[in-house]
Amino acid sequence: MAITLVDPSGLPEIGAYRQVSVATGSKLVFVAGQVAWDEEGATVGADDLAAQVEQCYVNVGTALAAVGGTFDDVAKLTVYVVDWTPEKMPLFMEGVTRAAARLGTTPVAPGTLVGVAALDIPDHLVEVEATAVLDS
């Protein structure tokens, strides 16, 4: 496996993700920001943050699978959430948990969550992009 996840001594253990990823593979994969669209381009979970987070993570998983990867190969996630407040964290984590169950893995790569004013269309509440490293 090309990615080793680490929680260094001296930094807090977050639980939802690891603080550091070490990449040793040779193929970089950059997954464009995935929104809560299904295969036909319809928005999943209008006004439902958990459902949209789940669909975004599943879409990232689909993109990774297309190039021979999985969430185990993800070195970094960046998540953009519309009108983010800390009170939304339980819904966000519910979506991640549901996606993990569907994907059969727990996505714990280092991540950054960024609150934004809006995304591409008003129905989208979240967007997730990934950087992965694969062994050749």
Side-chain angles (χ1 to χ4, degrees), residues 64-83:
L64 291 168
V67 296
T70 70
F71 263 96
D72 291 336
D73 301 305
V74 173
K76 174 82 167 55
L77 290 170
T78 304
V79 180
Y80 304 92
V81 182
V82 173
D83 297 325

Side-chain angles (χ1 to χ4, degrees), residues 56-68:
C56 290
Y57 274 72
V58 167
N59 289 350
V60 169
T62 299
L64 291 168
V67 296

Side-chain angles (χ1 to χ4, degrees), residues 23-88:
T24 57
S26 60
K27 184 193 295 186
L28 290 176
V29 177
F30 300 93
V31 178
Q34 297 297 304
V35 293
W37 277 332
D38 64 15
E39 190 173 354
E40 287 77 40
T43 299
V44 172
D47 297 323
D48 183 342
L49 180 61
Q52 288 202 16
V53 168
E54 176 183 3
Q55 186 64 44
C56 290
Y57 274 72
V58 167
N59 289 350
V60 169
T62 299
L64 291 168
V67 296
T70 70
F71 263 96
D72 291 336
D73 301 305
V74 173
K76 174 82 167 55
L77 290 170
T78 304
V79 180
Y80 304 92
V81 182
V82 173
D83 297 325
W84 175 257
T85 63
E87 293 76 26
K88 293 182 179 180

